Amino acid sequence: MSERTRDLPRRSCHAVPGSNPRFVEKAQGLEVDMVFLDLEDSVAPKEKEGARPIIADAIKNGDWGDKVVCVRINDWSTKWTVFDIIEIVTKSGERLDEIMLPKVESAAQVVAADMVLRQAEIQAGLPVGHIGIEAQIETARGLINVEEICAASSRLETIIFGPADFAASMEMPVLTGGVQIPEYPGDHFHYVFNKILMAGRANGLQVIDGPFLKVRDQDALRDYCMRARILGFDGKWTLHPDQVPVVNEVFSPTQEQFDHAWKILDAYDQATEGEGKGAVMFGEEMIDEASRKMAVKFVTRGERAGRVRSPKTD
Ligand code: GLV
Ligand code: MG
């Protein structure tokens, strides 16, 4: 897979229990930007070691198209982390793009994964640095240290919020993680979203929201995605194929936004290049370099979604 695809905004990031060959096979056909085969919480302790070869074989021999392919390993408090990395990296081949480290609590945990990855890559004959890291923030300690965590390794590609574990870590009186809580006057995760987003953006990472566990409620999912999208998140996990179109849609600009962004770029280009001005009126608004930066983001995301500019009408 080209570096370019890997760097594009990831809207839908699909979770697959790695112990289930049927789900692993099915995930290859989904219209998702990224897929992660799980060795952590969706796999029972007695199934974990048996899931590793299922995952490695599927990565090596499956057809993953241009999806980013990732494996979520077990966290550093378990007995599996190092062995997960070594077996997965040495047996999956070059199609493995990343590992996901759950429940990250310190920069040192990312550095430790980075060092084990380096040896596993050499052992596997892969270029050093081939495998990226995704880090999940899902405990109180992880959130406190998120700024150092996001700066801990050049392998880091994304930072992810894990609402279910986070709710447990904070002892929130909820039984379903990552859904709206109508009794709370506002968004109970607003601070968490912003803190993770800022730490991620300051370090050039993609920022992803975790699972929405009410998998049959598409309207509630759409509403929840919109909150994260408006703050600036790149995408969200999907747990069920029915969640994929909703996530892809919400995290992509509409055709109207895409066309509007192109018009801003054209007007700004004409002002700066043609007329030598830094700021210019665009309809009722003034636009300048900051407007160009915002518009570029819409265009990149629109292109990611396959949008093509509508024929010019004016
Ligand atoms: C995801 O891992 C979560 O805990 O929400
Ligand atoms: Mg979790």
Side-chain angles (χ1 to χ4, degrees), residues 116-138:
V116 179
L117 276 170
R118 184 177 164 278
Q119 295 195 349
E121 283 168 340
I122 294 169
Q123 190 69 27
L126 295 168
V128 169
H130 176 77
I131 296 172
I133 297 178
E134 302 219 353
Q136 274 189 282
I137 299 299
E138 39 187 357

Side-chain angles (χ1 to χ4, degrees), residues 12 71 304 309:
S12 44
V71 175
R304 161 53 131 170
R309 193 174 180 182

Side-chain angles (χ1 to χ4, degrees), residues 260-269 282 285 287 291-292 295:
H260 190 76
W262 264 119
K263 283 185 189 162
I264 290 176
L265 291 181
D266 282 352
Y268 183 72
D269 192 51
F282 173 73
E285 296 166 39
I287 58 167
S291 319
R292 187 196 64 80

Side-chain angles (χ1 to χ4, degrees), residues 40 72 136 138 161-166 211 237:
E40 203 223 14
R72 180 167 74 165
Q136 274 189 282
E138 39 187 357
F161 176 46
D165 272 304
F166 190 80
W237 281 13

Side-chain angles (χ1 to χ4, degrees), residues 163 174 176-181 187-189 211-214 220 224 227:
V174 293
T176 311
V179 298
Q180 297 88 336
I181 300 187
D187 184 338
H188 61 300
F189 283 144
F212 187 82
L213 296 165
K214 289 192 176 162
Y224 211 76
R227 298 174 191 213

Side-chain angles (χ1 to χ4, degrees), residues 45-258:
K46 66 181 173 50
E47 303 284 325
K48 290 194 192 276
E49 279 156 27
R52 290 185 196 135
I54 297 174
I55 289 177
D57 180 64
I59 294 175
K60 204 180 179 83
N61 300 312
D63 178 3
W64 298 96
D66 63 359
K67 295 177 189 42
V68 176
V69 178
C70 178
V71 175
R72 180 167 74 165
I73 61 172
N74 290 283
D75 77 85
W76 282 114
S77 71
T78 70
K79 61 180 179 180
W80 295 294
T81 320
V82 167
F83 305 97
D84 285 345
I85 296 180
I86 291 171
E87 186 164 343
I88 293 296
V89 173
T90 56
K91 297 200 177 139
S92 298
E94 61 182 12
R95 194 56 188 82
L96 175 68
D97 294 310
E98 310 175 311
I99 58 135
M100 186 188 296
L101 200 52
K103 302 182 180 69
V104 177
E105 303 216 300
S106 67
Q109 293 184 338
V110 177
V111 174
D114 182 326
M115 289 165 81
V116 179
L117 276 170
R118 184 177 164 278
Q119 295 195 349
E121 283 168 340
I122 294 169
Q123 190 69 27
L126 295 168
V128 169
H130 176 77
I131 296 172
I133 297 178
E134 302 219 353
Q136 274 189 282
I137 299 299
E138 39 187 357
T139 63
R141 176 71 51 203
L143 190 68
I144 288 171
N145 292 329
V146 67
E147 290 164 26
E148 292 81 22
I149 289 170
C150 285
S153 164
S154 56
R155 289 184 191 266
L156 279 165
E157 296 188 11
T158 74
I159 189 88
I160 307 156
F161 176 46
D165 272 304
F166 190 80
S169 168
M170 293 292 279
E171 303 190 25
M172 287 178 167
V174 293
L175 289 172
T176 311
V179 298
Q180 297 88 336
I181 300 187
E183 293 78 16
Y184 186 79
D187 184 338
H188 61 300
F189 283 144
H190 184 73
Y191 168 75
V192 183
F193 275 157
N194 269 310
K195 188 163 163 105
I196 293 176
L197 184 65
M198 268 188 263
R201 291 292 183 233
N203 289 283
L205 306 184
Q206 297 210 26
V207 187
I208 307 290
D209 187 21
F212 187 82
L213 296 165
K214 289 192 176 162
V215 292
R216 297 192 199 291
D217 193 341
Q218 314 291 316
D219 290 339
L221 170 66
R222 185 180 301 278
D223 175 64
Y224 211 76
C225 286
M226 196 50 92
R227 298 174 191 213
R229 172 76 195 103
I230 285 171
L231 290 176
F233 275 59
D234 292 289
K236 185 164 173 66
W237 281 13
T238 52
L239 303 179
H240 188 280
D242 290 350
Q243 294 186 318
V244 174
V246 176
V247 169
N248 282 344
E249 183 199 315
V250 175
F251 286 93
S252 305
T254 61
Q255 184 67 41
E256 199 184 343
Q257 289 169 328
F258 182 71

